[in-house]
Amino acid sequence: MASQASGRAEINTHTRSFTGCGTCRNRHVKCDEGRPTCSMCAEYGLSCAGYKNDIFFDTESPDNRIRFRRPLLTEKERQRMSQWLVSTAPPKSTNRLLLRLDEEVESHVTDGGDIQLVMGPFGVFKSHQLQNAHSSPCEEVPAEHEIIETCTSSPPQEISHIIDPFTPVPDISQWSPGFMESLLERPEQDTSPATPDLLDMVIEQSHMANTPVTSQEYQLNTFLPNLYCNTLSNTSLMSPPNLTSAVPPDAVFLLKHYSSKVISLMTPVRHKKTPWHILFIPHVKDCLAALALGEDLNHASLCTFFGTLAISAFSLGGVSQSENWLEQGQTYLHRARGHAKAMLLTAYDIPKPAKYKSILMGILTMIQVSNFSGNRHQAEGYFLEAEKIIRLKGLKRKKSRKVRLLHHCYVFERMFHESIFICGANSVQRHHLRRAIESSGLSRCSVDGLSFRLYKWQNLQQEMERVRGREEGENDLHLERPGLFSATLYPEIFGVPEPWLVLLSSVIRLGVEKDGAEQEINSVGLNLKDYISRAKALEDYINQLQRPSQMSFSSATHQSKVDQHILENMLEAMRNALTIYFYRRIYDLNASMLQEKVANVRDCLLQCEYADSSVVHGSAGFIWPAFIAACEAEDPEVQRSFSSWFEISASRSGLSCFNQTLDSIQRIWEEKSRGSRSSITWLDLMKRAGYQQQGLVI
């Protein structure tokens, strides 16, 4: 019985059909895969969408090897291929053609020369003399009705005069950069008209669709002037000059580096359920497969594809100190920006040009590449676009787990961005975003406000212990309301409890109230008594946070002891950094009173270094507390420790954001040493120089 049960388990390992018709797959029902239409659609009176040719990657194989299923041809293409083969080899002349083929092979074997025949179905045999006196140019494959007429009225054609239009594509799982380069080389002497050959489809240039200038494009060009290398012209988006093929020759190599190295920069956990394992990498693989098959992709998918390649190329360039990789990264980034702009211009069109998840993944990819390249001032525009599409299209829908994963990625990065980017709270872009959401009538779907203002809670302790429902927990986008939400995914993705992010959000909002009062633009804000009361409540709750070693996280249950130790130290560093951020942002406390907290953050970073020197400490959970604490460091030895940590992280990850963050910290140290003012911090320098002009980068 046990063996039978295990046998049934092995048989039912994969329950989802990868080859069902489009209608059944969209409806999530079992498809009998009938040809040309399935009986399930006929039974329910639905229009069968047919069968799509695609490559489906399967990562759930028992031996943990990546496999894929490849239904290359649709039903219509199979019928055309069969009809074409029949028309090229009529029954009466089949024996004669086979004899001629044998004679051709024997003659070349006797001569001892190289055998290169182009005879036979599928082009299996290649001809020694491609240019025969009696040969004629290859013709376009006729339409289906023309094929039928040819079979009945045209004289038999010789097989040697025809090249098969369905030449098999090499196994994509075995592609290497060198093989891809040889595959993508076009013949130097090829004057025959193009045929719908799959190899031609692989090397065909991917052209972007023509997009007219609209009012939304004007808004993008007005409010995001530095976000893209080139703006859209009135006619088309131009492809970058260095990429001449649909499939970049180094795509597979860059994707492997991204999967094995770069993901560790985004999350400290090491399980396979992160959004990058579930969503981003499979999506990029699907894009690679689609480009290899010559399919047209939407701008959202191409944005994610080229943005991912750009991140990986920048990382490789920094690790190897290779200018070629850095230039290649800039080329991919240029192309990703072009697709990002086209994606944003059509994101709200009806019918929709791309799925909601694809668009959001494209924006999140651009946020990642902006942050990793040290351009957080450029990431501001992408953050606002992500917020806009989530509030207009994401909050009103029933959210699947994958959608919620993407929302969590946005909010996590947005909280750290908002804590530092304080000079753009009242920017023109943000005012435009709020007007666009309010005019749509969808602002009611948001539980939180459209601006980072403080929620009117009375007792913080009671509010933090309050259990929030599904709608409030999912639609409180920027964590405005304190409370507990059991379905949160932050511990699983980033190893951080949601209440910690709620506290960070509350400190950010209280700081906004403070700035508004100082600038006399907060006419309906808090009075001094309420401000002090709320600040005291936040201070008490932050100081009473449990130590990470006393907490258990669902994401760490399958982690090794070393990984758990690293997670605990990361959270301890965040706890101390949150305390430093609160006292400097709200009370403007003198830095000399915070040196113990600064040293604690430094010690946590060093303990992680000692635990596993191979770990690249690059997630937001490490770089944010390192920046907040390092800015307040006064002891030269502690400053050198922070400098060493940023330099080591930069060399391991290859990303420029670490060096640029260190440059910003060193500017603060120099300012302190010149002015002998221990109270000065990053906040003062941003207000003095202007973040958008000078730019303190983390």
Side-chain angles (χ1 to χ4, degrees):
M1 295 296 292
S3 60
Q4 294 179 358
S6 61
R8 287 195 299 269
E10 293 179 358
I11 295 175
N12 297 327
T13 300
H14 304 289
T15 58
R16 183 181 178 187
S17 173
F18 286 91
T19 54
C21 72
T23 303
C24 291
R25 287 179 59 80
N26 289 335
R27 297 178 64 237
H28 303 285
V29 298
K30 181 81 173 173
C31 180
D32 64 351
E33 303 180 19
R35 309 287 174 156
T37 59
C38 72
S39 59
M40 186 65 69
C41 294
E43 180 179 350
Y44 287 96
L46 301 175
S47 176
C48 185
Y51 303 91
K52 178 183 178 183
N53 54 333
D54 205 347
I55 292 179
F56 301 98
F57 290 88
D58 177 13
T59 59
E60 299 180 358
S61 56
D63 52 0
N64 295 324
R65 291 184 301 174
I66 297 178
R67 300 178 178 179
F68 58 87
R69 304 177 182 181
R70 185 174 53 177
L72 287 178
L73 305 179
T74 62
E75 181 68 21
K76 185 177 295 186
E77 289 172 337
R78 293 174 185 174
Q79 293 176 357
R80 289 181 57 185
M81 181 180 67
S82 299
Q83 293 170 352
W84 177 80
L85 289 175
V86 171
S87 67
T88 58
K92 294 182 179 180
S93 59
T94 301
N95 293 332
R96 179 177 58 84
L97 293 174
L98 290 176
L99 289 174
R100 178 179 173 182
L101 188 62
D102 292 337
E103 294 174 357
E104 189 79 10
V105 173
E106 291 176 0
S107 63
H108 289 298
V109 172
T110 303
D111 296 340
D114 295 335
I115 302 177
Q116 296 181 358
L117 300 175
V118 291
M119 299 177 62
F122 302 100
V124 174
F125 304 99
K126 311 234 178 237
S127 177
H128 181 68
Q129 295 180 351
L130 291 175
Q131 305 293 339
N132 291 329
H134 61 276
S135 63
S136 61
C138 300
E139 310 238 338
E140 295 277 357
V141 177
E144 289 184 281
H145 65 277
E146 296 175 348
I147 293 176
I148 298 175
E149 293 177 358
T150 303
C151 292
T152 56
S153 59
S154 300
Q157 295 178 326
E158 295 183 357
I159 299 178
S160 61
H161 297 170
I162 300 173
I163 297 179
D164 171 48
F166 297 105
T167 304
V169 179
D171 186 352
I172 193 172
S173 65
Q174 303 298 326
W175 285 356
S176 62
F179 175 75
M180 288 298 300
E181 292 177 0
S182 62
L183 177 64
L184 297 174
E185 291 179 356
R186 285 185 177 273
E188 295 181 357
Q189 297 179 353
D190 185 7
T191 58
S192 61
T195 61
D197 186 282
L198 283 184
L199 184 57
D200 290 337
M201 295 165 67
V202 172
I203 62 178
E204 181 182 1
Q205 175 66 31
S206 61
H207 297 288
M208 304 180 187
N210 295 340
T211 308
V213 176
T214 62
S215 60
Q216 187 177 0
E217 177 189 350
Y218 172 77
Q219 295 166 0
L220 286 173
N221 293 334
T222 303
F223 299 132
L224 308 177
N226 298 321
L227 209 56
Y228 311 101
C229 295
N230 293 323
T231 59
L232 282 172
S233 64
N234 291 335
T235 56
S236 65
L237 281 167
M238 300 303 294
S239 300
N242 294 332
L243 293 178
T244 58
S245 63
V247 181
D250 50 10
V252 175
F253 180 71
L254 290 175
L255 183 55
K256 289 181 178 179
H257 177 74
Y258 181 88
S259 303
S260 59
K261 301 297 183 182
V262 179
I263 289 181
S264 63
L265 306 175
M266 304 175 188
T267 172
V269 299
R270 294 194 184 186
H271 55 70
K272 301 298 184 181
K273 296 181 180 180
T274 68
W276 295 275
H277 294 93
I278 296 176
L279 292 170
F280 286 88
I281 292 180
H283 184 65
V284 175
K285 287 182 177 179
D286 289 342
C287 293
L288 177 62
L291 290 175
L293 293 173
E295 296 182 0
D296 294 329
L297 295 177
N298 53 56
H299 292 292
S301 297
L302 291 172
C303 174
T304 304
F305 179 74
F306 288 109
T308 301
L309 297 186
I311 294 174
S312 186
F314 285 142
S315 175
L316 278 172
V319 171
S320 62
Q321 297 297 314
S322 170
E323 291 294 331
N324 293 334
W325 279 120
L326 295 177
E327 292 176 1
Q328 192 74 346
Q330 288 293 340
T331 302
Y332 290 138
L333 177 59
H334 168 64
R335 193 160 188 177
R337 284 172 172 168
H339 287 294
K341 189 163 192 180
M343 170 188 70
L344 295 176
L345 289 173
T346 60
Y348 306 95
D349 290 353
I350 298 176
K352 60 181 181 180
K355 293 182 179 180
Y356 171 76
K357 288 184 295 186
S358 299
I359 296 175
L360 190 53
M361 275 193 286
I363 301 176
L364 291 176
T365 301
M366 297 310 297
I367 291 175
Q368 293 167 3
V369 71
S370 299
N371 290 340
F372 285 153
S373 60
N375 296 318
R376 280 191 176 264
H377 59 286
Q378 293 185 1
E380 165 76 0
Y382 291 115
F383 273 118
L384 297 182
E385 289 296 333
E387 179 183 355
K388 181 179 178 181
I389 194 170
I390 290 174
R391 293 193 185 276
L392 294 183
K393 286 194 169 185
L395 297 184
K396 63 180 180 180
R397 61 189 293 163
K398 184 177 180 181
K399 303 164 194 64
S400 65
R401 176 179 172 83
K402 292 182 178 180
V403 169
R404 294 184 60 238
L405 285 171
L406 295 176
H407 288 185
H408 279 66
C409 290
Y410 158 74
V411 176
F412 187 80
E413 293 290 341
R414 180 66 184 271
M415 287 297 103
F416 294 111
H417 171 82
E418 204 69 25
S419 67
I420 304 298
F421 194 87
I422 62 173
C423 295
N426 296 296
S427 63
V428 178
Q429 297 96 321
R430 298 199 177 199
H431 284 298
H432 171 73
L433 170 68
R434 287 193 287 268
R435 288 196 301 268
I437 297 174
E438 290 170 353
S439 62
S440 68
L442 294 174
S443 58
R444 64 181 183 274
C445 299
S446 302
V447 173
D448 61 326
L450 301 183
S451 58
F452 277 80
R453 306 306 294 267
L454 191 64
Y455 181 64
K456 304 298 182 180
W457 42 263
Q458 298 297 327
N459 189 317
L460 180 61
Q461 184 70 32
Q462 292 181 358
E463 290 290 332
M464 291 295 291
E465 295 176 356
R466 179 179 60 90
V467 177
R468 297 190 292 174
R470 183 187 63 83
E471 182 178 358
E472 181 182 1
E474 293 180 354
N475 292 357
D476 183 9
L477 185 60
H478 291 154
L479 304 176
E480 178 184 88
R481 302 183 181 184
L484 299 175
F485 183 45
S486 60
T488 182
L489 298 175
Y490 294 110
E492 181 176 332
I493 303 173
F494 302 103
V496 178
E498 182 173 287
W500 293 41
L501 294 175
V502 173
L503 289 173
L504 175 59
S505 177
S506 299
V507 176
I508 293 171
R509 296 171 188 276
L510 190 59
V512 171
E513 300 287 345
K514 175 184 176 183
D515 295 339
E518 292 176 350
Q519 300 173 13
E520 297 182 354
I521 62 175
N522 189 9
S523 58
V524 294
L526 299 174
N527 55 41
L528 181 59
K529 180 180 178 181
D530 290 339
Y531 177 85
I532 296 177
S533 175
R534 292 175 183 274
K536 180 61 176 175
L538 281 173
E539 178 185 7
D540 292 341
Y541 201 92
I542 291 174
N543 289 329
Q544 294 174 5
L545 284 176
Q546 286 184 305
R547 293 182 61 85
S549 59
Q550 300 173 1
M551 305 179 67
S552 59
F553 305 103
S554 60
S555 62
T557 54
H558 300 292
Q559 303 291 310
S560 65
K561 291 183 178 180
V562 173
D563 293 336
Q564 291 184 21
H565 179 69
I566 292 174
L567 283 173
E568 290 176 358
N569 279 279
M570 184 200 73
L571 286 173
E572 179 67 11
M574 285 193 66
R575 187 177 70 88
N576 284 275
L578 181 59
T579 305
I580 297 172
Y581 180 78
F582 170 81
Y583 283 119
R584 295 297 275 155
R585 184 76 174 93
I586 305 303
Y587 288 155
D588 197 16
L589 195 66
N590 193 287
S592 60
M593 304 179 67
L594 300 172
Q595 294 308 299
E596 181 181 356
K597 301 291 184 182
V598 172
N600 288 340
V601 174
R602 187 274 312 266
D603 293 341
C604 290
L605 298 178
L606 294 181
Q607 287 188 29
C608 293
E609 183 76 20
Y610 297 150
D612 188 356
S613 59
S614 65
V615 175
V616 179
H617 306 295
S619 66
F622 279 106
I623 193 171
W624 184 82
F627 172 80
I628 295 298
C631 289
E632 312 302 335
E634 295 182 346
D635 188 343
E637 182 181 352
V638 176
Q639 291 179 353
R640 285 192 294 270
S641 298
F642 279 112
S643 298
S644 176
W645 183 87
F646 278 102
E647 291 170 355
I648 292 175
S649 298
S651 63
R652 289 179 179 175
S653 66
L655 299 175
S656 60
C657 60
F658 292 98
N659 287 327
Q660 294 186 17
T661 303
L662 181 58
D663 292 340
S664 299
I665 295 172
Q666 290 174 343
R667 285 169 52 191
I668 296 174
W669 292 343
E670 293 175 2
E671 191 78 13
K672 286 184 177 182
S673 62
R674 286 199 302 263
S676 298
R677 295 173 55 198
S678 61
S679 62
I680 193 171
T681 186
W682 53 268
L683 182 62
D684 303 303
L685 293 185
M686 286 183 182
K687 290 181 177 179
R688 184 188 309 172
Y691 186 93
Q692 291 177 321
Q693 286 76 26
Q694 299 291 334
L696 286 179
V697 181
I698 78 163

mmCIF file of all heavy atoms in Angstrom, residues 271-290:
data_model
loop_
_atom_site.group_PDB
_atom_site.id
_atom_site.type_symbol
_atom_site.label_atom_id
_atom_site.label_comp_id
_atom_site.label_asym_id
_atom_site.label_seq_id
_atom_site.Cartn_x
_atom_site.Cartn_y
_atom_site.Cartn_z
ATOM 1 N N HIS A 271 15.382 31.009 1.434
ATOM 2 C CA HIS A 271 14.452 29.998 0.942
ATOM 3 C C HIS A 271 14.037 30.352 -0.483
ATOM 4 O O HIS A 271 14.411 31.407 -1.012
ATOM 5 C CB HIS A 271 13.227 29.886 1.860
ATOM 6 C CG HIS A 271 12.504 31.181 2.075
ATOM 7 N ND1 HIS A 271 11.773 31.806 1.090
ATOM 8 C CD2 HIS A 271 12.400 31.975 3.164
ATOM 9 C CE1 HIS A 271 11.237 32.909 1.559
ATOM 10 N NE2 HIS A 271 11.614 33.044 2.825
ATOM 11 N N LYS A 272 13.266 29.481 -1.104
ATOM 12 C CA LYS A 272 12.916 29.633 -2.512
ATOM 13 C C LYS A 272 11.504 30.181 -2.706
ATOM 14 O O LYS A 272 10.915 30.006 -3.765
ATOM 15 C CB LYS A 272 13.031 28.270 -3.228
ATOM 16 C CG LYS A 272 14.420 27.658 -3.159
ATOM 17 C CD LYS A 272 15.462 28.522 -3.849
ATOM 18 C CE LYS A 272 16.823 27.848 -3.859
ATOM 19 N NZ LYS A 272 17.849 28.688 -4.511
ATOM 20 N N LYS A 273 10.975 30.862 -1.684
ATOM 21 C CA LYS A 273 9.618 31.389 -1.787
ATOM 22 C C LYS A 273 9.584 32.909 -1.853
ATOM 23 O O LYS A 273 8.544 33.521 -1.653
ATOM 24 C CB LYS A 273 8.780 30.908 -0.592
ATOM 25 C CG LYS A 273 8.587 29.401 -0.537
ATOM 26 C CD LYS A 273 7.726 28.991 0.643
ATOM 27 C CE LYS A 273 7.541 27.480 0.693
ATOM 28 N NZ LYS A 273 6.700 27.067 1.854
ATOM 29 N N THR A 274 10.721 33.520 -2.106
ATOM 30 C CA THR A 274 10.749 34.970 -2.213
ATOM 31 C C THR A 274 10.119 35.404 -3.533
ATOM 32 O O THR A 274 9.991 34.602 -4.468
ATOM 33 C CB THR A 274 12.194 35.484 -2.135
ATOM 34 O OG1 THR A 274 12.891 35.072 -3.323
ATOM 35 C CG2 THR A 274 12.908 34.930 -0.916
ATOM 36 N N PRO A 275 9.721 36.663 -3.654
ATOM 37 C CA PRO A 275 9.150 37.131 -4.934
ATOM 38 C C PRO A 275 10.101 36.969 -6.102
ATOM 39 O O PRO A 275 9.654 36.802 -7.241
ATOM 40 C CB PRO A 275 8.850 38.612 -4.657
ATOM 41 C CG PRO A 275 8.727 38.715 -3.176
ATOM 42 C CD PRO A 275 9.666 37.701 -2.615
ATOM 43 N N TRP A 276 11.399 36.997 -5.858
ATOM 44 C CA TRP A 276 12.341 36.870 -6.963
ATOM 45 C C TRP A 276 12.386 35.440 -7.482
ATOM 46 O O TRP A 276 12.531 35.227 -8.686
ATOM 47 C CB TRP A 276 13.720 37.337 -6.490
ATOM 48 C CG TRP A 276 13.683 38.793 -6.173
ATOM 49 C CD1 TRP A 276 13.850 39.842 -7.045
ATOM 50 C CD2 TRP A 276 13.391 39.372 -4.900
ATOM 51 N NE1 TRP A 276 13.685 41.026 -6.383
ATOM 52 C CE2 TRP A 276 13.410 40.784 -5.066
ATOM 53 C CE3 TRP A 276 13.121 38.854 -3.639
ATOM 54 C CZ2 TRP A 276 13.172 41.656 -4.014
ATOM 55 C CZ3 TRP A 276 12.885 39.721 -2.601
ATOM 56 C CH2 TRP A 276 12.916 41.113 -2.784
ATOM 57 N N HIS A 277 12.249 34.461 -6.589
ATOM 58 C CA HIS A 277 12.216 33.069 -7.038
ATOM 59 C C HIS A 277 10.876 32.717 -7.676
ATOM 60 O O HIS A 277 10.818 31.918 -8.616
ATOM 61 C CB HIS A 277 12.480 32.128 -5.862
ATOM 62 C CG HIS A 277 13.860 32.237 -5.304
ATOM 63 N ND1 HIS A 277 14.181 33.061 -4.246
ATOM 64 C CD2 HIS A 277 15.021 31.631 -5.655
ATOM 65 C CE1 HIS A 277 15.469 32.957 -3.974
ATOM 66 N NE2 HIS A 277 16.001 32.093 -4.800
ATOM 67 N N ILE A 278 9.800 33.286 -7.164
ATOM 68 C CA ILE A 278 8.462 32.912 -7.621
ATOM 69 C C ILE A 278 8.026 33.724 -8.834
ATOM 70 O O ILE A 278 7.363 33.198 -9.735
ATOM 71 C CB ILE A 278 7.446 33.087 -6.465
ATOM 72 C CG1 ILE A 278 7.772 32.121 -5.320
ATOM 73 C CG2 ILE A 278 6.025 32.854 -6.946
ATOM 74 C CD1 ILE A 278 6.887 32.298 -4.106
ATOM 75 N N LEU A 279 8.402 34.996 -8.891
ATOM 76 C CA LEU A 279 7.862 35.896 -9.909
ATOM 77 C C LEU A 279 8.920 36.401 -10.883
ATOM 78 O O LEU A 279 8.788 36.205 -12.094
ATOM 79 C CB LEU A 279 7.171 37.087 -9.226
ATOM 80 C CG LEU A 279 5.886 36.758 -8.458
ATOM 81 C CD1 LEU A 279 5.443 37.951 -7.632
ATOM 82 C CD2 LEU A 279 4.788 36.363 -9.429
ATOM 83 N N PHE A 280 9.950 37.060 -10.385
ATOM 84 C CA PHE A 280 10.856 37.782 -11.271
ATOM 85 C C PHE A 280 11.656 36.846 -12.169
ATOM 86 O O PHE A 280 11.696 37.027 -13.391
ATOM 87 C CB PHE A 280 11.787 38.671 -10.439
ATOM 88 C CG PHE A 280 11.117 39.889 -9.881
ATOM 89 C CD1 PHE A 280 10.471 39.850 -8.661
ATOM 90 C CD2 PHE A 280 11.116 41.082 -10.584
ATOM 91 C CE1 PHE A 280 9.841 40.971 -8.140
ATOM 92 C CE2 PHE A 280 10.496 42.215 -10.079
ATOM 93 C CZ PHE A 280 9.850 42.162 -8.862
ATOM 94 N N ILE A 281 12.339 35.855 -11.570
ATOM 95 C CA ILE A 281 13.177 34.969 -12.390
ATOM 96 C C ILE A 281 12.351 34.158 -13.386
ATOM 97 O O ILE A 281 12.710 34.079 -14.567
ATOM 98 C CB ILE A 281 14.017 34.056 -11.481
ATOM 99 C CG1 ILE A 281 15.061 34.888 -10.725
ATOM 100 C CG2 ILE A 281 14.711 32.973 -12.296
ATOM 101 C CD1 ILE A 281 15.936 34.080 -9.802
ATOM 102 N N PRO A 282 11.221 33.514 -12.975
ATOM 103 C CA PRO A 282 10.415 32.822 -13.991
ATOM 104 C C PRO A 282 9.923 33.754 -15.093
ATOM 105 O O PRO A 282 9.860 33.358 -16.265
ATOM 106 C CB PRO A 282 9.245 32.256 -13.171
ATOM 107 C CG PRO A 282 9.787 32.106 -11.792
ATOM 108 C CD PRO A 282 10.712 33.266 -11.612
ATOM 109 N N HIS A 283 9.575 34.987 -14.744
ATOM 110 C CA HIS A 283 9.094 35.924 -15.766
ATOM 111 C C HIS A 283 10.205 36.262 -16.757
ATOM 112 O O HIS A 283 9.967 36.308 -17.976
ATOM 113 C CB HIS A 283 8.581 37.191 -15.088
ATOM 114 C CG HIS A 283 7.974 38.179 -16.038
ATOM 115 N ND1 HIS A 283 6.826 37.906 -16.759
ATOM 116 C CD2 HIS A 283 8.343 39.430 -16.397
ATOM 117 C CE1 HIS A 283 6.514 38.942 -17.508
ATOM 118 N NE2 HIS A 283 7.423 39.883 -17.314
ATOM 119 N N VAL A 284 11.417 36.488 -16.261
ATOM 120 C CA VAL A 284 12.530 36.795 -17.159
ATOM 121 C C VAL A 284 12.863 35.585 -18.032
ATOM 122 O O VAL A 284 13.186 35.735 -19.221
ATOM 123 C CB VAL A 284 13.752 37.241 -16.339
ATOM 124 C CG1 VAL A 284 14.962 37.440 -17.240
ATOM 125 C CG2 VAL A 284 13.452 38.541 -15.603
ATOM 126 N N LYS A 285 12.780 34.381 -17.475
ATOM 127 C CA LYS A 285 13.006 33.179 -18.286
ATOM 128 C C LYS A 285 11.956 33.042 -19.381
ATOM 129 O O LYS A 285 12.280 32.673 -20.519
ATOM 130 C CB LYS A 285 12.988 31.935 -17.385
ATOM 131 C CG LYS A 285 14.230 31.777 -16.512
ATOM 132 C CD LYS A 285 14.147 30.497 -15.695
ATOM 133 C CE LYS A 285 15.398 30.286 -14.872
ATOM 134 N NZ LYS A 285 15.325 29.049 -14.055
ATOM 135 N N ASP A 286 10.717 33.333 -19.043
ATOM 136 C CA ASP A 286 9.671 33.286 -20.062
ATOM 137 C C ASP A 286 9.931 34.307 -21.159
ATOM 138 O O ASP A 286 9.684 34.038 -22.345
ATOM 139 C CB ASP A 286 8.300 33.541 -19.421
ATOM 140 C CG ASP A 286 7.836 32.380 -18.563
ATOM 141 O OD1 ASP A 286 8.383 31.272 -18.729
ATOM 142 O OD2 ASP A 286 6.942 32.573 -17.709
ATOM 143 N N CYS A 287 10.418 35.490 -20.787
ATOM 144 C CA CYS A 287 10.751 36.507 -21.790
ATOM 145 C C CYS A 287 11.871 36.020 -22.696
ATOM 146 O O CYS A 287 11.821 36.206 -23.926
ATOM 147 C CB CYS A 287 11.151 37.812 -21.111
ATOM 148 S SG CYS A 287 9.830 38.651 -20.221
ATOM 149 N N LEU A 288 12.881 35.395 -22.109
ATOM 150 C CA LEU A 288 13.983 34.859 -22.901
ATOM 151 C C LEU A 288 13.487 33.792 -23.869
ATOM 152 O O LEU A 288 13.879 33.765 -25.042
ATOM 153 C CB LEU A 288 15.052 34.286 -21.969
ATOM 154 C CG LEU A 288 16.256 33.608 -22.631
ATOM 155 C CD1 LEU A 288 17.028 34.592 -23.483
ATOM 156 C CD2 LEU A 288 17.169 32.989 -21.574
ATOM 157 N N ALA A 289 12.615 32.911 -23.388
ATOM 158 C CA ALA A 289 12.082 31.860 -24.260
ATOM 159 C C ALA A 289 11.238 32.460 -25.374
ATOM 160 O O ALA A 289 11.315 32.033 -26.532
ATOM 161 C CB ALA A 289 11.247 30.884 -23.429
ATOM 162 N N ALA A 290 10.421 33.465 -25.036
ATOM 163 C CA ALA A 290 9.572 34.088 -26.053
ATOM 164 C C ALA A 290 10.406 34.792 -27.115
ATOM 165 O O ALA A 290 10.098 34.727 -28.319
ATOM 166 C CB ALA A 290 8.598 35.069 -25.386
#
